[in-house]
């Protein structure tokens, strides 16, 4: 299939770039166009593609100059910016939504697209996320951007987990950091099933996350079997301490998550 993709070309670590690599891995012919800098609109002929596929950050909403024809959109930010995601979804023939609440809302709000709004959870970029077989020298790792919603979590982690990593990292560096950690921490700002959960699992660290209700209903990672949940920050400290002291228990859960994640929850599988 010949596919035109639209995402931020300045971010090789973004969801669109990872999906691009996965589609090429599967044998598709893919060409990327920048969803922010639209200078290509003056010269690109987009009529010769079998599919126009858009994935990009919710900070850059506008109508891309894409011709009529098969158009698909992966609305990855319904948990933080539903209204804008909905406005873009209306212009597409196929819509994929990673979060259960967002998917249910879109099915209701887009009755004219019945059957064409699909639930498609996020996943790990398996080009970089796997166990790099490093010695697990760090107790914990959290990789993510600074957000106001994480301010209390950030202070707590930095104060309580000294032997660990807290900050930003991408692609191969991210994979190596998680592969060198015993425990990977997650804080979902909207209690959503996010990329980070699959990234930690794919690298073989034990995932310890705040409560993510949609995992009870989706066929993905399950609390207690594939990861451990905390309800309050004091509980997070207790759980990290427990699993650092109990290597076999920690490894058993982490290995179960890694097996499931790398078999069924990678971008290659989603593509």
């Amino acid at each position: 299939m010949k596919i035109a993709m639209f995402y931020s070309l300045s971010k090789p670590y973004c969801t669109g770039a990872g999906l691009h690599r996965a589609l090429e891995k599967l044998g598709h012919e893919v060409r990327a166009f920048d969803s922010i800098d639209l200078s290509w609109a003056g010269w690109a002929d987009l009529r010769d593609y079998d599919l126009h596929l858009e994935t990009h950050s919710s900070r850059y909403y506008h109508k891309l100059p894409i011709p009529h024809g098969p158009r698909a959109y992966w609305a990855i930010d319904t948990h933080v910016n539903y209204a804008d995601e909905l406005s873009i979804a209306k212009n597409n023939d196929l819509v994929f939504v990673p979060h259960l609440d967002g998917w249910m809302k879109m099915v209701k709000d887009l009755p004219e697209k019945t059957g064409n709004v699909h639930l498609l959870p996020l996943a790990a970029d398996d080009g970089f996320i796997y166990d790099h077989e490093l010695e697990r020298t760090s107790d914990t790792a959290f990789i993510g951007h600074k957000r106001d919603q994480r301010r209390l979590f950030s202070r707590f982690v930095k104060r309580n987990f000294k032997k660990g990593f807290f900050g930003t990292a991408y692609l191969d560096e991210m994979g190596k950091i998680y592969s060198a950690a015993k425990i990977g921490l997650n804080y979902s700002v909207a209690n959503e099933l996010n990329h980070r959960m699959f990234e930690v699992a794919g690298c073989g660290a034990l995932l310890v996350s705040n409560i993510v209700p949609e995992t009870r209903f989706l066929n993905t990672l399950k609390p207690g079997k594939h990861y451990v949940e905390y309800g309050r920050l004091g509980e997070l400290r207790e759980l990290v301490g427990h699993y650092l002291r109990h290597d076999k228990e920690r490894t058993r859960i982490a290995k179960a998550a890694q097996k499931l994640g790398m078999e069924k929850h990678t971008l290659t599988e989603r593509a």
Side-chain angles (χ1 to χ4, degrees), residues 34-256:
D34 203 315
S35 61
I36 301 172
D37 177 2
L38 305 185
S39 58
W40 51 265
W43 54 263
D45 185 354
L46 301 177
R47 294 171 295 178
D48 192 32
Y49 290 90
D50 302 307
L51 177 67
H52 304 93
L53 174 59
E54 182 183 359
T55 62
H56 64 73
S57 167
S58 60
R59 288 174 294 176
Y60 307 105
Y61 284 111
H62 46 67
K63 289 185 179 180
L64 293 175
I66 304 173
H68 292 293
R71 294 180 59 166
Y73 182 57
W74 199 2
I76 65 173
D77 283 331
T78 56
H79 62 301
V80 293
N81 206 337
Y82 178 78
D84 284 333
E85 291 283 37
L86 178 64
S87 70
I88 289 187
K90 290 177 179 178
N91 299 317
N92 285 268
D93 304 299
L94 293 168
V95 181
F96 301 94
V97 186
H99 306 302
L100 187 60
D101 285 349
W103 172 70
M104 291 191 293
K105 288 179 183 177
M106 278 211 184
V107 168
K108 181 180 178 181
D109 292 340
L110 298 174
E112 72 279 8
K113 297 186 186 296
T114 300
N116 289 324
V117 180
H118 303 277
L119 182 64
L120 186 68
L122 298 173
D125 185 343
D126 42 319
F128 305 96
I129 298 300
Y130 55 88
D131 190 344
H132 290 247
E133 298 184 352
L134 301 174
E135 183 181 357
R136 296 192 180 274
T137 55
S138 297
D139 287 344
T140 62
F142 175 86
I143 296 175
H145 295 285
K146 292 181 179 179
R147 292 178 179 268
D148 288 341
Q149 301 97 318
R150 293 197 190 110
R151 189 176 300 163
L152 183 61
F153 170 80
S154 301
R155 289 201 299 262
F156 182 88
V157 169
K158 291 176 181 178
R159 184 172 63 246
N160 286 276
F161 308 129
K162 302 295 185 182
K163 192 178 178 183
F165 178 90
F166 189 101
T168 56
Y170 305 103
L171 304 176
D172 198 52
E173 182 186 5
M174 176 191 290
K176 289 178 179 177
I177 289 171
Y178 281 139
S179 294
K182 297 180 178 76
I183 294 173
L185 305 176
N186 181 52
Y187 183 91
S188 297
V189 296
N191 298 97
E192 81 285 0
L193 180 62
N194 57 24
H195 284 295
R196 189 181 303 105
M197 296 181 72
F198 296 111
E199 290 162 352
V200 171
C203 291
L206 172 67
L207 171 63
V208 179
S209 174
N210 60 332
I211 295 173
V212 179
E214 61 188 331
T215 59
R216 276 80 170 158
F217 307 100
L218 300 178
N219 187 25
T220 58
L221 302 170
K222 296 296 182 184
K225 183 177 182 180
H226 302 111
Y227 73 99
V228 180
E229 284 186 333
Y230 62 91
R232 53 185 175 78
L233 291 178
E235 187 179 4
L236 171 60
R237 180 173 51 225
E238 294 166 5
L239 286 170
V240 168
H242 172 85
Y243 285 103
L244 287 177
R245 293 190 301 270
H246 295 82
D247 291 352
K248 289 184 179 180
E249 188 179 1
R250 182 185 73 241
T251 301
R252 174 180 57 79
I253 298 173
K255 289 296 184 185

